[in-house]
Amino acid sequence: QKEVEQDPGPLSVPEGAIVSLNCTYSNSAFQYFMWYRQYSRKGPELLMYTYSSGNKEDGRFTAQVDKSSKYISLFIRDSQPSDSATYLCAMSGMEYGNKLVFGAGTILRVKS
Amino acid sequence: GAVVSQHPSRVICKSGTSVKIECRSLDFQATTMFWYRQFPKKSLMLMATSNEGSKATYEQGVEKDKFLINHASLTLSTLTVTSAHPEDSSFYICSAREASTQQYFGPGTRLTVT
């Protein structure tokens, strides 16, 4: 079993839809949770950074962390074609030092 | 803020030659830098962690004599692929870490070995 599970998709939605991206994990030692967006042939861009359980909102993006269920989500409201990219969840914790453990990435396609 | 650059963005080299890739944190001091490799449609694979002024720590299965990492200053790390072979062709991405856990990634370098 992988430490971080993420459905690779692709996930295809119409423009304006609410997108839900998810990751599950197995190690309760994870404390820091991140979502990155990666366009084709580019480096990942940090979208959201959260610590422990709870919600965090930034514009059209909302990140949720449920440590009891070992489940994190990223919601994108009013999705746009420019949101089409691969979304990677990543997490870390004291046990991992400086290292990030990544999910496989979900390919999102927003159709106009 | 938190901008990381990489140079070159793309490089083609002949088999047996060496290639150096630079990673710079432009507006912050990075105590730690990371080097990743990414295959097409795959997630990032951590190759090594480098701290300024000390030797890099390589992940299991990564040849340290083939992938030389130097972290000479708080804003610069280099990855040298020595005696490159076609199987080394890949997308190499660096990241830099400030004091917190957040890592900021560079735009990546596409290496093609012919």
Side-chain angles (χ1 to χ4, degrees), chain A residues 35-50:
Chain A
W35 285 96
Y36 288 88
R37 177 176 62 195
Q38 186 176 23
Y39 291 111
S40 181
R41 301 176 184 244
K42 301 289 184 185
E45 171 193 7
L46 180 64
L47 283 178
M48 301 291 279
Y49 173 88
T50 53

Side-chain angles (χ1 to χ4, degrees), chain B residues 6-92:
Chain B
Q6 272 183 251
H7 179 80
S9 58
R10 186 175 295 187
V11 58
I12 301 172
C13 71
K14 292 188 176 180
S15 188
T17 62
S18 295
V19 175
K20 180 184 285 188
I21 302 170
E22 290 187 348
C23 176
R24 294 181 185 272
S25 56
L26 298 184
D27 50 3
F28 66 99
Q29 292 189 325
T31 53
T32 308
M33 287 186 170
F34 304 83
W35 286 95
Y36 295 83
R37 185 172 178 176
Q38 187 175 33
F39 293 100
K41 300 189 178 182
K42 298 291 184 184
S43 192
L44 286 76
M45 181 191 81
L46 179 65
M47 299 174 65
T49 303
S50 78
N51 292 294
E52 186 263 340
S54 61
K55 288 185 179 180
T57 302
Y58 290 81
E59 295 299 300
Q60 192 173 8
V62 178
E63 298 176 60
K64 61 180 181 181
D65 294 330
K66 179 163 188 63
F67 298 100
L68 300 179
I69 292 171
N70 183 282
H71 194 156
S73 74
L74 285 172
T75 59
L76 173 64
S77 177
T78 60
L79 167 68
T80 301
V81 183
T82 62
S83 186
H85 290 283
E87 58 264 31
D88 298 325
S89 298
S90 192
F91 194 51
Y92 292 89

